[in-house]
Amino acid sequence: MEEDTDFRIRFSSLCFITDHVGFHGTIKSSPSDFVVIEIDEQGQLVNKASNEPIYKVNKILPGPNNLAKKTKLDPQNLSFEERSNQEVSTLAGCSGDDQNYEPGSEKEDTIKDGTSKGEEENIDVLGSLLDEKTNELLNQFACDIKEKWNSKTELIGPSPEFSLGRILDKNRRAILHSAIRQKFPFLITVGKNSEIVVKPNLEYKELCHLVSEEEAFDFFKYLDAKKENSKFTFKPDINKDHRKAVHHFINKKFGNLVETKSFPEPNYSADNPNVVITVRFREKAHKHRKRSLLECQERKVIYTAFTLRKDNLEMFEAVGFLAIKLGVIPSDLSYAGLKDKKAITYQAMVVRKVTPERLKNIEKEIEKKRMNVFNIRSVDDSLRLGQLKGNHFDIVIRNLKNQINDSANLRERILEAVENVKNKGFVNYYGPQRFGMGRKVHTDQIGLALLKSEMVKAVKLFLTPEDLDDPVNRAKKYFLQTEDAKGTLSLMPEFKARERALLESLHRFGVTEEGCIQAWFSFPHSMRIFYVHAYSSKIWNEAVSYRLATYGSRVVEGDLVCLDEDIDDEHLPSSKVHLVTEEEESANTYAIHQVVLPVLGYNIQYPKNKLGKWYQEVLSRDGLQTCRFKIPTLKLNVPGCYRKILKHPCNLSYQLIEDHDIDVMNEGSHIDEATLSLLISFDLDASCYATVCMREIMKHDF
């Protein structure tokens, strides 16, 4: 594969906003020269001792009284006859009296007044989350559908719908989806922009043509409950052709989720040739499925928060190693942001399904991998990307000297540079670590291939070797030559968790478009979206350079400006982004620090000047003129966001010092004369890069 020819010019061609001369120096001489400490949403450094949870979620789930556990049989492992014998409410026609269906019932789990536990829970859930009028209308809608089906009346025109309205709380929506489908298995629920729409379940009606309504009713309840290690058994059937039709229907409609098998009854004989069809969840689907909300409430998921310190370790490698040691998958570990490799970094993390005690038990093992964990405590939920205020940096720049042909006093040059950026800010480029440090392939190239649905190409880009003779690159080279995933897996070192996960999937599914789609799912969502974001970041960098080269620091007509200074860039809604008018340009209404540019996605607006046309030309150049920034096959949606073109470092302090006064010395270094080093500390907002800030200060590309 051709070497990425723009590697050297990619960052040397970026602009500066300040006009000082700058200076030369060496950054990241060792990881200890570059310390990054995450700042949480409360503004606290995460390396400080803490007993408080990272954050607390508002509880909107039904209270414990509604979810009290009782000793009960397992209805999912009973035959159809056994379940029917324990039915409390018969499946009579839907009417306006107390004979209405209560399909959420666990039939054998009865209570004294004749109402089942499941019914009671569904009544509580729907009654507590829906107002009385909406609840009545929902029940009437369900009755109307049943009456039309029972009367054999075909539904004319579009499928009828009933809207519950917009429900902004995600957890509340999830509970309603589950509760409605459990109470009315003959209905389905669909989400539309936070709105829940209820429709007839036509697959339920179709199954009723093959089996009794009671069986169809219980089968769809079984599907929605998705109970671990459960099975469902249809009525005994002597008709082989009929059984074949049932098998065909279930495998056609739900084959990715369940599997069916026929078994003779225990008393099977020539006189009693009955055979039953049993349905089980597929093991793979069961591992990846979403549990029903009521089950999740009964089985409270364990979340353990901690601070991770890592030393000269790549982020995804650290996550993969922790996952292996804790016996979880990488997606069970969540974090607020990615951190540098060649640095000492501190960041908040949360791991699912692991107790604090279990995490403490691996402390000694992970120390060998240059990692430490502390501030270990239980919390209510995982972290999400962007859930931080920013990062604090402590940086040492060594071997300071003047720019070529600059004879000015070095100390004065450094003072001038630091103060200039402190007051005027820096161009808010995405840093080089966003794109990987490979010479042949960068992460944005993989992201572009994913956006174009070129899945095989994306995999091969990911596994493209560098011109180095080491085990990792030899394994990658072997794969590109042979496409032998199994053989490559035997060559790939154990510590390359991402590469091995991808290769294991390729070995299982093959190096085809479909196989490569499955292989990408071996990565957690945060990692898949990372590559797409890298492409968007590259285009943003190019856009800023074009904007500053075209218009400089003037705010011109058609620019986009931020109207709310307190909102983070990543969460800036379009309603807070304003298009500059001709009159506002003439009146100098806005300043350059208010200008934002869109990061590519499906939910952003473009500038209405030369820059807007530039964006369209770039998308056309890269073959994305019709791209909707959604990749359904990988479950990736990229709404986009806005990013300020300038940022300022906060709480900046610095000190010039002679090298021999610094505690940490380079190994083997011999100083004949004292040389200056700069110790500089500052805070940056989330998604800002210290290397980019230092580039502006030094006027020097690293």
Side-chain angles (χ1 to χ4, degrees):
M1 182 168 290
E2 294 293 325
E3 182 165 329
D4 184 7
T5 54
D6 72 348
F7 176 79
R8 292 183 179 277
I9 65 171
R10 181 175 289 205
F11 289 93
S12 62
S13 63
L14 302 185
C15 300
F16 296 105
I17 197 68
T18 51
D19 57 4
H20 58 266
V21 174
F23 53 92
H24 279 286
T26 304
I27 194 168
K28 293 189 176 182
S29 295
S30 69
S32 59
D33 281 353
F34 201 91
V35 178
V36 187
I37 307 170
E38 198 169 87
I39 305 170
D40 67 20
E41 290 184 310
Q42 286 72 46
Q44 301 299 313
L45 297 174
V46 301
N47 66 333
K48 304 299 182 185
S50 171
N51 295 316
E52 292 298 317
I54 290 175
Y55 71 101
K56 296 179 180 179
V57 295
N58 292 323
K59 301 289 187 183
I60 58 90
L61 305 178
N65 292 335
N66 294 335
L67 298 170
K69 291 187 176 181
K70 301 176 186 176
T71 304
K72 62 178 184 178
L73 298 173
D74 185 353
Q76 306 292 355
N77 287 322
L78 297 176
S79 68
F80 177 78
E81 285 83 3
E82 289 172 309
R83 290 196 306 272
S84 297
N85 290 337
Q86 296 186 38
E87 183 72 42
V88 176
S89 300
T90 60
L91 292 171
C94 190
S95 63
D97 59 18
D98 291 335
Q99 296 297 315
N100 287 353
Y101 291 159
E102 293 297 350
S105 63
E106 298 284 358
K107 302 175 188 67
E108 71 287 1
D109 193 20
T110 60
I111 57 178
K112 289 182 180 179
D113 64 3
T115 305
S116 73
K117 175 190 171 189
E119 289 175 319
E120 193 174 50
E121 287 178 350
N122 282 323
I123 291 168
D124 284 338
V125 171
L126 292 176
S128 64
L129 296 180
L130 297 176
D131 61 76
E132 186 177 351
K133 182 65 175 176
T134 304
N135 212 349
E136 288 177 6
L137 290 173
L138 173 62
N139 279 279
Q140 187 58 52
F141 176 77
C143 288
D144 290 345
I145 297 299
K146 288 296 297 180
E147 285 175 2
K148 286 176 181 171
W149 283 357
N150 291 339
S151 65
K152 310 299 182 187
T153 303
E154 289 298 321
L155 299 173
I156 307 299
S159 178
E161 296 182 354
F162 174 71
S163 173
L164 299 180
R166 292 193 71 205
I167 297 165
L168 299 180
D169 189 286
K170 183 178 179 181
N171 289 334
R172 186 179 172 206
R173 288 200 307 271
I175 295 171
L176 277 171
H177 278 295
S178 179
I180 291 168
R181 292 195 305 266
Q182 278 289 306
K183 184 174 182 180
F184 306 113
F186 51 89
L187 301 178
I188 58 172
T189 55
V190 180
K192 292 182 179 179
N193 298 324
S194 301
E195 177 189 14
I196 294 181
V197 176
V198 186
K199 299 180 179 182
N201 185 347
L202 299 182
E203 290 171 343
Y204 178 97
K205 185 180 180 185
E206 191 176 345
L207 183 58
C208 285
H209 293 313
L210 294 173
V211 300
S212 68
E213 185 171 347
E214 291 90 340
E215 290 174 281
F217 184 88
D218 277 5
F219 173 72
F220 277 92
K221 277 187 57 188
Y222 162 80
L223 274 186
D224 184 65
K226 298 183 178 75
K227 192 165 184 179
E228 189 172 357
N229 298 323
S230 63
K231 65 182 180 181
F232 178 87
T233 305
F234 285 98
K235 280 182 180 179
D237 190 352
I238 63 173
N239 188 323
K240 183 176 181 181
D241 289 336
H242 181 258
R243 294 198 305 269
K244 187 175 179 180
V246 175
H247 280 293
H248 178 75
F249 172 84
I250 294 174
N251 285 303
K252 179 183 176 183
K253 301 289 187 182
F254 314 106
N256 64 331
L257 183 66
V258 297
E259 58 186 353
T260 60
K261 289 185 180 179
S262 291
F263 295 98
E265 280 205 299
N267 57 346
Y268 179 88
S269 67
D271 296 329
N272 180 33
N274 279 336
V275 174
V276 294
I277 296 175
T278 297
V279 184
R280 295 179 184 272
F281 285 105
R282 292 186 184 277
E283 185 177 353
K284 175 191 163 196
H286 182 73
K287 285 180 180 177
H288 294 88
R289 65 181 171 76
K290 291 183 180 178
R291 291 190 176 93
S292 70
L293 261 291
L294 292 176
E295 182 183 358
C296 286
Q297 293 165 28
E298 291 180 357
R299 295 184 179 186
K300 182 172 173 60
V301 178
I302 297 168
Y303 294 95
T304 297
F306 59 99
T307 296
L308 172 68
R309 179 193 187 274
K310 62 181 182 68
D311 181 346
N312 198 27
L313 195 60
E314 198 255 349
M315 177 76 188
F316 292 131
E317 186 179 335
V319 169
F321 187 80
L322 284 170
I324 291 170
K325 292 300 177 185
L326 292 169
V328 296
I329 57 177
S331 57
D332 285 325
L333 287 133
S334 57
Y335 39 84
L338 303 177
K339 297 291 180 278
D340 300 68
K341 177 188 176 182
K342 193 173 182 181
I344 294 175
T345 66
Y346 297 82
Q347 66 189 112
M349 296 193 76
V350 174
V351 58
R352 293 174 68 239
K353 300 181 288 190
V354 173
T355 63
E357 292 71 28
R358 173 79 184 95
L359 182 59
K360 289 174 184 175
N361 287 340
I362 68 163
E363 285 180 305
K364 295 294 184 184
E365 291 181 77
I366 65 174
E367 282 178 7
K368 300 172 186 174
K369 196 72 174 174
R370 304 183 305 282
M371 288 190 285
N372 302 94
V373 291
F374 55 98
N375 285 342
I376 300 171
R377 64 217 185 270
S378 295
V379 290
D380 293 326
D381 210 341
S382 54
L383 283 167
R384 65 180 186 277
L385 285 172
Q387 194 178 337
L388 73 165
K389 188 172 183 180
N391 292 284
H392 172 80
F393 298 89
D394 293 315
I395 300 171
V396 180
I397 313 295
R398 299 186 186 276
N399 306 316
L400 299 176
K401 56 186 177 182
N402 288 77
Q403 300 275 23
I404 297 173
N405 299 324
D406 178 25
S407 58
N409 180 277
L410 178 59
R411 291 176 181 268
E412 291 178 2
R413 280 285 187 241
I414 295 169
L415 175 65
E416 171 195 41
V418 174
E419 289 297 326
N420 213 3
V421 172
K422 180 179 179 180
N423 295 323
K424 295 182 180 179
F426 60 94
V427 185
N428 191 25
Y429 288 115
Y430 288 97
Q433 57 268 52
R434 182 83 167 191
F435 311 102
M437 301 308 291
R439 302 289 299 184
K440 288 193 171 182
V441 173
H442 292 102
T443 54
D444 59 274
Q445 294 169 273
I446 299 171
L448 177 58
L450 292 176
L451 282 169
K452 295 167 78 171
S453 292
E454 296 172 342
M455 300 301 170
V456 175
K457 180 179 179 180
V459 164
K460 289 185 176 180
L461 284 169
F462 179 80
L463 291 173
T464 295
E466 296 293 325
D467 290 329
L468 298 170
D469 188 24
D470 57 52
V472 173
N473 286 292
R474 284 197 294 270
K476 289 181 175 181
K477 184 176 181 180
Y478 175 78
F479 176 80
L480 289 193
Q481 290 172 341
T482 65
E483 293 189 3
D484 174 12
K486 184 178 180 180
T488 309
L489 197 56
S490 67
L491 298 172
M492 187 64 68
E494 289 289 335
F495 70 89
K496 300 302 286 185
R498 276 183 299 167
E499 286 80 355
R500 291 187 62 83
L502 193 80
L503 288 165
E504 285 169 359
S505 290
L506 291 174
H507 172 51
R508 181 177 179 186
F509 298 108
V511 189
T512 62
E513 282 294 318
E514 182 59 34
C516 289
I517 289 171
Q518 295 299 326
W520 281 110
F521 276 105
S522 66
F523 291 177
H525 179 273
S526 59
M527 203 179 296
R528 298 197 302 275
I529 201 75
F530 167 78
Y531 293 103
V532 179
H533 285 166
Y535 172 76
S536 298
S537 302
K538 177 201 173 190
I539 301 306
W540 193 90
N541 278 3
E542 293 176 1
V544 177
S545 293
Y546 179 82
R547 164 65 179 74
L548 292 173
T550 305
Y551 298 118
S553 297
R554 295 183 300 122
V555 180
V556 301
E557 180 184 1
D559 270 339
L560 298 173
V561 293
C562 171
L563 296 179
D564 191 334
E565 297 291 322
D566 295 327
I567 300 179
D568 294 337
D569 289 9
E570 303 290 330
H571 305 107
L572 186 64
S574 292
S575 61
K576 296 293 184 182
V577 173
H578 171 69
L579 200 64
V580 176
T581 65
E582 183 180 1
E583 293 75 19
E584 288 168 337
E585 177 187 350
S586 300
N588 293 321
T589 305
Y590 299 105
I592 187 66
H593 73 271
Q594 294 173 283
V595 175
V596 297
L597 288 182
V599 180
L600 294 174
Y602 62 78
N603 195 31
I604 48 98
Q605 62 173 314
Y606 293 101
K608 295 290 180 65
N609 48 32
K610 291 180 181 179
L611 195 55
K613 184 180 178 182
W614 178 90
Y615 267 103
Q616 300 309 318
E617 289 173 351
V618 167
L619 290 175
S620 181
R621 175 199 74 188
D622 290 345
L624 296 176
Q625 55 269 43
T626 60
C627 179
R628 299 180 62 190
F629 290 92
K630 295 183 179 182
I631 313 174
T633 52
L634 295 183
K635 297 184 179 179
L636 297 180
N637 292 319
V638 188
C641 60
Y642 300 92
R643 183 177 174 91
K644 289 183 179 177
I645 67 175
L646 295 185
K647 281 286 187 177
H648 286 75
C650 300
N651 302 319
L652 187 149
S653 63
Y654 59 98
Q655 180 183 6
L656 280 170
I657 196 163
E658 293 184 353
D659 260 352
H660 58 252
D661 290 334
I662 295 178
D663 292 336
V664 181
M665 300 291 291
N666 286 325
E667 275 190 44
S669 63
H670 178 69
I671 300 176
D672 294 319
E673 58 183 41
T675 57
L676 281 179
S677 288
L678 173 65
L679 281 65
I680 186 167
S681 298
F682 51 83
D683 299 342
L684 292 178
D685 291 340
S687 195
C688 294
Y689 291 80
T691 47
V692 173
C693 179
M694 292 308 304
R695 173 185 177 274
E696 185 85 41
I697 291 173
M698 298 171 68
K699 294 293 175 70
H700 171 55
D701 288 296
F702 306 117

